[in-house]
Amino acid sequence: GQQLNQSPQSMFIQEGEDVSMNCTSSSIFNTWLWYKQDPGEGPVLLIALYKAGELTSNGRLTAQFGITRKDSFLNISASIPSDVGIYFCAGTYKYIFGTGTRLKVLA
Amino acid sequence: NAGVTQTPKFRILKIGQSMTLQCTQDMNHNYMYWYRQDPGMGLKLIYYSVGAGITDKGEVPNGYNVSRSTTEDFPLRLELAAPSQTSVYFCASSYGSGYEQYFGPGTRLTVT
C-alpha cells in the first residue's frame, strides 16, 4: 500500500536553530499537507501545498512541494521551545499520514 | 462553533465488549474520517465518508464499523474489543478531498 516515510524520526535541537525535515512517497500526490501535533491533542494544519514546485511560508515555517510530486520538505527557522511536538506530512490520496518527526527544542 | 467533538475522552473496555465512539462536526463538512494512533506512531485511516450514507474502508478497517446517517455525525463501532485495538482514536472532517482536515481531541481507548 501507500507509504509516507518521514525523516528524521526525531531530533533534538537548540533554541534558535533552524530545522529541516522531509517526507517521501512511493507514489505521486496532488496535495501535500503538513500538520503539527501537541501532546494529548489532535493534529493541526500548518501548511498546505497544491502544486509541484510550490514553496509556501507560514511565519517561521516554509514548506515545498517536490518537483517529482513524490516528496515534500518542511523547514522551521529560529526554533523556539513551543515548536516541540510531532510533525506529520499527509497526502490526500487515501488520506495517508507519514510516520512523524518528533522535535524537541532545548532552551 | 465547536468544530469536531468526540466522546468519550477516555474508556477502558474488557476483551469482547463493544462500544461506540461518537464524533460530531458543526462545520457542514462533507468528508469525515476515523484514524487510530498507536503509541509513538503515525495516524492510520480506519474508515472515511464522503457524505451522508456513503462510507469506505481505509487502511485498517478490520474490527470496526461505521455509519453516516447525517452530515454531522460519524460514529465508530467496535463490536468485539481486542487488546490490539488499544489506541488513541481521532475523528476528523474536511470540506472535501484535498482540503484541510480538522481533528477532534481524540478518544483514548484501553482494552484489557
Side-chain angles (χ1 to χ4, degrees), chain B residues 1 3 5 8 11 15 17 41-42 55 77-78 91 99 101 112:
Chain B
N1 194 335
T5 57
R11 183 73 187 267
I15 294 171
Q17 286 185 321
M41 305 294 286
T55 62
R77 178 87 178 158
L78 284 71
C91 178
Y99 287 83
Q101 290 175 305
T112 61

Side-chain angles (χ1 to χ4, degrees), chain A residues 16-95:
Chain A
E17 287 184 350
D18 296 344
V19 175
S20 291
M21 60 189 78
N22 67 65
C23 186
T24 58
S25 167
S26 56
S27 300
I28 289 172
F29 283 103
N30 291 323
T31 303
W32 284 96
L33 305 171
W34 283 94
Y35 289 84
K36 179 178 180 243
Q37 185 179 27
D38 291 328
E41 305 281 333
V44 174
L45 184 74
L46 298 173
I47 292 180
L49 301 161
Y50 298 105
K51 200 164 63 171
E54 179 181 355
L55 187 70
T56 298
S57 292
N58 178 7
R60 294 180 295 106
L61 278 62
T62 302
Q64 183 161 25
F65 192 142
I67 289 291
T68 65
R69 294 166 61 195
K70 292 185 177 182
D71 57 10
S72 180
F73 306 87
L74 176 69
N75 295 312
I76 305 172
S77 63
S79 58
I80 59 178
S82 62
D83 289 334
V84 68
I86 307 174
Y87 292 79
F88 290 104
C89 61
T92 49
Y93 176 71
K94 290 295 188 182
Y95 317 106

Side-chain angles (χ1 to χ4, degrees), chain B residues 4-9 22-24 34 89-91 103-107:
Chain B
V4 179
T5 57
Q6 292 183 239
T7 57
K9 285 193 188 324
Q22 302 291 347
C23 176
T24 301
W34 275 105
Y89 291 84
F90 288 101
C91 178
F103 283 81
T107 294

Side-chain angles (χ1 to χ4, degrees), chain B residues 1-31:
Chain B
N1 194 335
V4 179
T5 57
Q6 292 183 239
T7 57
K9 285 193 188 324
F10 304 93
R11 183 73 187 267
I12 298 174
L13 282 182
K14 294 191 186 304
I15 294 171
Q17 286 185 321
S18 61
M19 77 164 293
T20 299
L21 282 68
Q22 302 291 347
C23 176
T24 301
Q25 54 94 6
D26 62 1
M27 297 173 281
N28 202 31
H29 285 166
N30 289 320
Y31 283 53

Side-chain angles (χ1 to χ4, degrees), chain B residues 11-17 36-39 62-64 78-89 109-112:
Chain B
R11 183 73 187 267
I12 298 174
L13 282 182
K14 294 191 186 304
I15 294 171
Q17 286 185 321
R36 60 176 287 172
Q37 185 176 31
D38 298 333
N62 292 341
Y64 307 94
L78 284 71
E79 289 295 350
L80 288 170
S84 61
Q85 293 178 304
T86 294
S87 191
V88 180
Y89 291 84
L109 176 67
T110 301
V111 182
T112 61

